[in-house]
């Protein structure tokens, strides 16, 4: 009950902030609501967040007044050490018992990267001069503080400095994103989750080759539905209050190359790695081979960001090699003027990308290297395809969900869909009867949709519980 009362108090503060005309008062109410919301994950976590915000703010002030790579490194080292203390030190078995019981503050991986991006932007002399209140709000902003998307201060600061008001179009579009996100998380991810989680946790199970393939595909889509669903929820919630956040997913499984996939999957983190790791490191040397090395190193960091596990780092290295191979193929095609058909480029590229990403999910999800090796061994063993261990219902559910996803995405790009969307756009812009009908139609169907989602969760889950968001572990 205390949690619900606290969340309601935080929501009331945020709503009150939308009606005040003074933007400083709005910022104060938003920050208070964000802190009230965050403190339910632990007062000690809130203390760490506030301390990190204050230290990084004054590091930025000092760096602005005394530009130099040395002071930038001070900020980098501070943030990396703080994150490592909570995220990586407890993972080492040789660490003392005291360190093994340290809990990482919720969302620290995300807001630490936001702090680092601020320091990098200050070093590159971007025009930013936030107040301490504005910077603390940027670090603790309630939709993004737990699991992103990772924001950039140059985009958020102008939005914090606007006086707020509720706009009907924002409420409608935001609520649709929330409903879509809830459906992805509470229905689609829950259909795949129980079998996938149980199967990977049965380390000694002797899975067949087909089982491993379908578990890898299932985990990839479970992760997508879960995290993209969460991203839709927070982006929609922020939109309702007039804030535009970074998109985090853009149909990644329809990518025809590894490069395209990683510009569409966890986009806020991928772009962060590109802008603040890959580009600066690639500029150190002009050698083309160095860029391939930097790709692998950047993706290794991408894997390490997820946790202090060898499997994460190896997963990142493998994805970096996949990206480097793609670039190498493109370079060879340009050098020797090799041309392939558009169909082969798109469909063939999609097959290679889907297979490469899916194989990587085995390493990402495996509990240890031994389990990953056993599962890859099953994939490579022709004899293992003669047996199957997974329940038949999982095969059916996975086929329906994956086929339905691709069919839906194809339908959304059809001419008929665009014509229907255009007609709705006309209705929304019409100030008369059509717009009134469209708005009332949405509010008429939204509550039943939410109720259907809740009922579906209760039916699909025997325990009537929902697993936590998967990226809360990172």
């Amino acid at each position: 009950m205390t949690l619900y009362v606290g969340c309601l108090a935080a929501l009331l503060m945020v709503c009150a902030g939308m009606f005040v005309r003074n933007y400083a008062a709005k910022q104060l109410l938003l920050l208070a609501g964000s802190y009230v919301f965050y403190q339910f994950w632990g007062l000690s976590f809130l203390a760490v967040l506030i301390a990190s915000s204050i230290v990084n703010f004054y590091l930025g002030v000092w760096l602005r007044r005394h530009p130099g790579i040395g002071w930038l490194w001070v900020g980098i080292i501070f943030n990396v050490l703080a994150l490592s203390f909570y995220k990586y030190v407890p993972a080492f078995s040789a660490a003392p018992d005291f360190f093994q019981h340290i809990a990482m503050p919720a969302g620290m991986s995300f807001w630490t990267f936001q702090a680092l991006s601020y320091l990098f932007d200050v070093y590159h002399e971007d025009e930013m001069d936030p107040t301490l209140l504005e910077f603390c709000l940027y670090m603790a902003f309630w939709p993004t503080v737990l699991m992103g998307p990772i924001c950039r201060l140059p985009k958020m600061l102008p939005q914090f400095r606007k006086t707020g008001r509720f706009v009907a179009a924002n409420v409608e579009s935001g609520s649709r994103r929330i409903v879509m996100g809830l459906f992805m998380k509470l229905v689609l991810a829950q259909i795949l989750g129980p079998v996938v989680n149980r199967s990977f946790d049965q380390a000694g199970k002797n899975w067949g080759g087909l089982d491993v393939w379908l578990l890898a595909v299932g985990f990839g889509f479970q992760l997508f539905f879960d995290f993209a669903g969460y991203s839709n929820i927070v982006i929609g919630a922020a939109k309702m209050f007039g804030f535009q956040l970074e998109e985090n997913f853009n149909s990644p499984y329809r990518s025809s190359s590894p490069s395209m996939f990683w510009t569409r999957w966890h986009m806020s983190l991928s772009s962060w790695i590109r802008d603040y790791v890959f580009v600066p490191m690639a500029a150190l040397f002009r050698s083309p081979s160095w860029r391939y090395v930097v790709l692998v190193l950047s993706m290794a960091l991408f894997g390490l960001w997820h946790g202090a596990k060898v499997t994460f780092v190896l997963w990142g290295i493998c994805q970096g090699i996949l990206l480097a191979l793609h670039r190498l193929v493109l370079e060879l095609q340009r050098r020797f003027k090799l041309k392939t058909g558009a169909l082969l480029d798109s469909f063939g590229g999609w097959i290679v990308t889907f297979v490469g990403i899916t194989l990587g999910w085995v390493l990402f999800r495996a509990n240890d290297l031994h389990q990953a090796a056993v599962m890859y061994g099953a994939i490579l063993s022709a004899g293992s395809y003669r047996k199957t261990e997974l329940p038949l219902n999982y095969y059916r559910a996975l086929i329906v969900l994956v086929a339905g996803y691709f069919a839906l995405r194809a339908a959304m790009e059809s001419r008929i869909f665009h014509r229907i969307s255009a007609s709705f756009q006309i209705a929304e812009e019409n100030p008369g009867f059509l717009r009134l009908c469209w708005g009332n139609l949405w509010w008429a169907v939204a509550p039943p949709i939410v109720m259907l989602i809740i009922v579906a969760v209760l039916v699909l889950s025997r325990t009537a519980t929902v697993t936590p968001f998967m990226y809360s572990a990172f």
Side-chain angles (χ1 to χ4, degrees):
M1 180 62 69
T2 305
L3 175 62
Y4 295 121
V5 173
C7 289
L8 179 60
L11 181 61
L12 290 175
M13 292 179 189
V14 173
C15 290
M18 300 305 297
F19 290 101
V20 295
R21 299 195 173 215
N22 184 290
Y23 74 79
K26 166 193 168 181
Q27 294 169 0
L28 186 60
L29 285 168
L30 287 174
L31 180 61
S34 298
Y35 281 165
V36 170
F37 170 73
Y38 187 79
Q39 62 88 25
F40 283 100
W41 275 260
L43 284 173
S44 60
F45 292 174
L46 177 61
V48 174
L49 172 60
I50 294 174
S52 177
S53 302
I54 294 174
V55 170
N56 277 289
F57 172 76
Y58 284 107
L59 280 171
V61 171
W62 186 264
L63 185 60
R64 189 179 295 108
R65 294 175 181 173
H66 306 86
I69 190 67
W71 289 112
L72 176 62
W73 273 109
V74 171
I76 294 173
I77 292 171
F78 166 77
N79 283 283
V80 170
L81 287 179
L83 181 61
S84 299
F85 176 78
Y86 287 100
K87 187 165 187 171
Y88 302 114
V89 171
F92 291 103
S93 58
D97 291 341
F98 170 77
F99 291 106
Q100 292 185 10
H101 291 88
I102 293 174
M104 185 179 71
M108 189 175 187
S109 296
F110 296 89
W111 42 261
T112 296
F113 271 33
Q114 291 193 172
L116 284 170
S117 69
Y118 163 71
L119 296 178
F120 287 132
D121 290 342
V122 169
Y123 175 75
H124 290 109
E125 299 182 349
D126 287 1
E127 291 296 327
M128 292 185 303
D129 190 19
T131 64
L132 178 59
L133 173 62
E134 290 169 337
F135 186 77
C136 288
L137 176 58
Y138 162 70
M139 291 282 284
F141 191 43
W142 59 272
T144 64
V145 68
L146 296 179
M147 287 180 282
I150 299 172
C151 299
R152 310 279 181 96
L153 188 57
K155 182 170 182 178
M156 299 305 298
L157 195 56
Q159 300 186 67
F160 292 152
R161 290 176 174 175
K162 290 182 180 178
T163 54
R165 65 188 182 91
F166 284 105
V167 179
N170 290 340
V171 175
E172 286 188 21
S173 60
S175 59
R176 290 183 196 135
R177 292 290 294 265
I178 292 175
V179 170
M180 181 171 64
L182 288 172
F183 182 76
M184 294 176 73
K185 163 61 183 174
L186 299 181
V187 177
L188 301 182
Q190 294 300 311
I191 292 174
L192 298 173
V195 174
V196 172
N197 295 336
R198 184 171 61 249
S199 299
F200 272 98
D201 291 338
Q202 293 174 343
K205 193 73 173 180
N206 190 19
W207 301 112
L210 185 60
D211 291 328
V212 176
W213 274 111
L214 293 186
L215 281 175
V217 173
F219 172 74
F221 274 87
Q222 177 200 6
L223 186 62
F224 169 66
F225 290 139
D226 187 281
F227 195 32
Y230 171 83
S231 298
N232 277 316
I233 292 171
V234 298
I235 291 172
K239 183 68 174 178
M240 292 180 68
F241 290 92
F243 294 96
Q244 187 70 43
L245 301 182
E246 297 289 341
E247 291 292 339
N248 233 7
F249 291 87
N250 181 20
S251 303
Y253 279 116
R254 298 185 70 249
S255 303
S256 58
S257 71
S259 299
M260 184 184 297
F261 181 89
W262 287 114
T263 58
R264 295 183 171 195
W265 178 281
H266 202 170
M267 295 158 62
S268 62
L269 179 57
S270 297
S271 62
W272 195 100
I273 297 290
R274 179 197 65 207
D275 295 342
Y276 299 117
V277 179
F278 174 77
V279 172
M281 290 181 64
L284 293 176
F285 304 100
R286 295 184 177 181
S287 171
S289 59
W290 172 245
R291 296 179 69 88
Y292 297 138
V293 173
V294 173
L295 265 177
V296 177
L297 291 176
S298 299
M299 292 305 292
L301 176 63
F302 199 128
L304 184 62
W305 177 89
H306 288 87
K309 289 178 62 177
V310 177
T311 50
F312 284 143
V313 177
L314 289 178
W315 168 79
I317 291 173
C318 291
Q319 294 303 311
I321 293 173
L322 187 64
L323 287 167
L325 288 174
H326 173 245
R327 287 199 172 206
L328 181 60
V329 169
L330 293 179
E331 180 63 29
L332 291 175
Q333 286 179 336
R334 284 192 294 266
R335 181 178 299 179
F336 296 103
K337 298 181 180 180
L338 299 176
K339 293 184 179 180
T340 56
L343 179 61
L344 181 61
D345 281 342
S346 58
F347 185 71
W350 175 80
I351 291 291
V352 172
T353 301
F354 188 82
V355 169
I357 296 298
T358 299
L359 287 174
W361 291 136
V362 174
L363 197 57
F364 187 91
R365 178 58 179 84
N367 297 315
D368 50 45
L369 279 177
H370 174 72
Q371 184 184 24
V374 170
M375 298 183 79
Y376 283 132
I379 289 177
L380 297 174
S381 173
S384 70
Y385 288 86
R386 298 173 184 172
K387 61 178 180 180
T388 56
E389 299 284 347
L390 290 173
L392 184 59
N393 283 340
Y394 174 76
Y395 282 74
R396 294 169 177 165
L398 182 63
I399 292 172
V400 170
L401 284 179
V402 173
Y405 167 77
F406 286 116
L408 179 61
R409 296 307 308 178
M412 291 178 67
E413 294 186 2
S414 65
R415 293 182 179 179
I416 296 176
F417 180 84
H418 286 297
R419 289 177 182 175
I420 295 174
S421 300
S423 66
F424 283 149
Q425 184 66 31
I426 294 173
E428 288 180 343
E429 293 175 353
N430 192 303
F433 179 73
L434 289 177
R435 180 175 182 179
L436 178 64
C437 290
W438 172 244
N440 289 339
L441 176 64
W442 166 245
W443 290 113
V445 301
I449 290 175
V450 174
M451 291 303 299
L452 284 174
I453 292 173
I454 295 173
V455 170
V457 172
L458 296 178
V459 171
L460 293 170
S461 175
R462 293 181 180 178
T463 59
T465 59
V466 178
T467 57
F469 285 103
M470 297 172 71
Y471 255 72
S472 62
F474 304 125

